[in-house]
Amino acid sequence: MMVFTSIYGVVDGFFVSNFAGKTAFAAVNLVMPFVMILGGVGFMIGTGGTALVSRVLGEGRRDLANRYFSMLIYATLILGLGLSAFGIAFMEPIAAFLGATGEMMGDCVLYGRIVIGFNAAFMLQNVFQSFFIAAEKPKLGLYATVTAGVVNMALDALFVGVFPFGAAGAAIATGISQCIGGILPLFYFLRPNGSLLRLTRTRMESRPLLKAFGNGSSELLSNISSSVVSMIYNFQLLRYVGEDGVSAYGVLMYVQFIFIAIFIGYSIGSAPVVGYHYGAGNHPELKNMLKKSILLMGGFGIILGILAFSLADPLAGIFVGYDRDLFALTSHAFRLFSCSFLLAGLNIFASSFFTALSNGAVSAAISFLRTLVFQTSSVLVLPVFFDVDGIWWAITVAEVCACVVSAAFLFVKRKRYRYL
């Protein structure tokens, strides 16, 4: 699901860049961090709520699990609508704060307002990606995501490639696809179904909501931190390179979405299993999950690092092959950037693993240090010594530092959770 979601997100960038031009492409990338912060609330509810519901299911309390599940879905709807209203109202000053120039401002505001108008559906899509796994219906989640992705790609081709709607067309295509991935699952869980979960009548209770939000805060914090870091990257690139730097970074982010999605998808998919066995007190299975997951994340990291380095030219050519200077900048940046994939999966899994163990504090610490502290420090300091190349090396330096922190937490907490 995560890989396919990333692929159809990349299609937006492909059509905007090749049919609307690099200015519209830079505008979309400039406003995207803010859009992701709002949608990240869905990841918080989905991951934190799934850990809570999975643990309750592991304890054999299915009725309570359905009540918690329903409560979290209704809360997502309420928060999604509220955040949409906020984002639409303040999109113009936010775009100016992000560094939008007069030429990019129109596309930033238009794209941002349209996409944020569908924020409730986007949040629900993120929530259901986790809950389909907890409900033991991962294939249904995949089908919903694939359907949404196919619709998005088709509409991108129509609204941007055929009709000259530009960034607005890409935003409309994305919003419609998010409705398919976020609204259709509502109807499945509202009716009697063959899964472990169903939406029921319930009342809002502050304690489980706060527990779920707190436990999933690491994912929200990671999302916010990544978005803030992206803003800082854009500020630095505008300073050192200009608009082409923002476009090059946008290409890196689109391709990174696909590669990182493998790590995120595995982490989201394994979290309910970890939470279930933690709730059931099955410590041997926790050991098994941790050992195999570390091997998988390490192996995929090596493979993806090699692929990223080897495919730098063709990947850059897909997005910006029409501009020789921009292509050269993007290809060079991607080769330096590719080293970050070696350790990214281990850090992402470590944070998700502690979320599944209902230890939101440790999970948040790993995410906070990995993104906001280490990446921000690196992207601000390294260019002083290495110029633009320091910006591209920043994420790799941050991943190395985060890996040390992740290993330290896994070692320190081993006796409490008995996974080693």
Side-chain angles (χ1 to χ4, degrees):
M1 287 191 291
M2 289 303 302
V3 170
F4 204 87
T5 299
S6 301
I7 290 173
Y8 77 72
V10 169
V11 172
D12 272 2
F14 168 78
F15 277 101
V16 171
S17 180
N18 284 278
F19 291 92
K22 66 181 183 180
T23 298
F25 184 54
V28 170
N29 292 319
L30 203 64
V31 76
M32 187 58 68
F34 176 68
V35 175
M36 295 307 296
I37 287 176
L38 299 188
V41 177
F43 276 114
M44 175 189 73
I45 298 173
T47 54
T50 299
L52 175 64
V53 170
S54 296
R55 192 186 71 191
V56 173
L57 285 171
E59 294 168 350
R61 296 187 287 173
R62 187 169 176 178
D63 288 342
L64 182 61
N66 280 324
R67 281 176 45 208
Y68 285 171
F69 167 64
S70 302
M71 194 186 310
L72 290 161
I73 297 301
Y74 302 149
T76 302
L77 274 171
I78 295 169
L79 284 171
L81 293 173
L83 290 173
S84 287
F86 169 81
I88 291 171
F90 293 97
M91 193 64 249
E92 189 167 349
I94 288 169
F97 171 76
L98 294 175
T101 63
E103 192 175 359
M104 287 193 290
M105 177 63 79
D107 281 330
C108 279
V109 173
L110 183 60
Y111 181 87
R113 281 178 171 163
I114 294 173
V115 168
I116 290 170
F118 293 94
N119 187 61
F122 182 34
M123 287 173 57
L124 282 172
Q125 183 178 17
N126 292 336
V127 169
F128 282 126
Q129 282 180 341
S130 294
F131 275 119
F132 266 122
I133 301 165
E136 293 189 346
K137 292 293 180 180
K139 288 184 180 180
L140 287 179
L142 177 62
Y143 298 154
T145 302
V146 170
T147 302
V150 170
V151 169
N152 189 30
M153 291 185 226
L155 293 179
D156 270 332
L158 180 64
F159 294 157
V160 186
V162 178
F163 299 111
F165 295 163
I172 295 170
T174 297
I176 293 173
S177 71
Q178 288 168 351
C179 288
I180 294 173
I183 304 301
L184 288 183
L186 275 176
F187 295 99
Y188 174 79
F189 285 110
L190 278 168
R191 52 186 277 281
N193 59 74
S195 77
L196 295 180
L197 298 173
R198 184 188 174 190
L199 288 169
T200 61
R201 290 185 178 181
T202 187
R203 59 186 178 87
M204 294 294 178
E205 300 177 38
S206 59
R207 187 172 179 180
L209 284 175
L210 290 175
K211 186 170 183 61
F213 291 178
N215 194 34
S217 62
S218 60
E219 273 62 36
L220 177 61
L221 184 59
S222 178
N223 209 285
I224 292 175
S225 299
S226 297
S227 296
V228 171
V229 168
S230 294
M231 295 174 193
I232 296 172
Y233 266 94
N234 286 330
F235 288 144
Q236 287 285 77
L237 288 165
L238 284 170
R239 175 186 172 191
Y240 281 88
V241 187
E243 183 182 300
D244 278 3
V246 176
S247 295
Y249 181 65
V251 175
L252 266 61
M253 289 300 97
Y254 278 116
V255 178
Q256 186 198 39
F257 288 161
I258 299 176
F259 283 25
I260 292 294
I262 295 175
F263 301 136
I264 296 175
Y266 177 82
S267 299
I268 291 175
S270 62
V273 182
V274 173
Y276 184 93
H277 288 296
Y278 173 59
N282 191 350
H283 300 292
E285 189 57 34
L286 284 180
K287 295 180 183 180
N288 183 46
M289 284 293 297
L290 179 61
K291 179 181 177 181
K292 290 183 177 178
S293 297
I294 290 175
L295 290 173
L296 281 169
M297 293 297 94
F300 273 116
I302 294 172
I303 293 171
L304 293 179
I306 294 172
L307 279 175
F309 186 89
S310 304
L311 298 176
D313 284 348
L315 289 173
I318 290 172
F319 290 91
V320 294
Y322 55 82
D323 188 307
R324 186 177 64 181
D325 292 338
L326 181 54
F327 168 79
L329 173 66
T330 304
S331 180
H332 174 70
F334 206 87
R335 286 193 174 91
L336 301 184
F337 196 85
S338 63
C339 297
S340 65
F341 297 118
L342 296 173
L343 297 175
L346 294 171
N347 295 321
I348 290 170
F349 174 77
S351 177
S352 176
F353 184 70
F354 282 107
T355 297
L357 295 175
S358 296
N359 194 329
V362 170
S363 180
I366 294 173
S367 296
F368 177 77
L369 291 170
R370 172 178 173 257
T371 50
L372 196 59
V373 175
F374 295 145
Q375 280 200 51
T376 299
S377 301
S378 299
V379 80
L380 291 175
V381 173
L382 291 181
V384 175
F385 301 98
F386 304 105
D387 201 56
V388 179
D389 281 357
I391 298 177
W392 310 128
W393 278 116
I395 188 171
T396 300
V397 173
E399 294 292 1
V400 171
C401 296
C403 193
V404 174
V405 172
S406 298
F409 274 121
L410 286 170
F411 180 78
V412 170
K413 297 294 182 180
R414 69 192 188 285
K415 292 182 179 179
R416 176 178 174 181
Y417 297 108
R418 296 162 60 185
Y419 48 66
L420 288 177

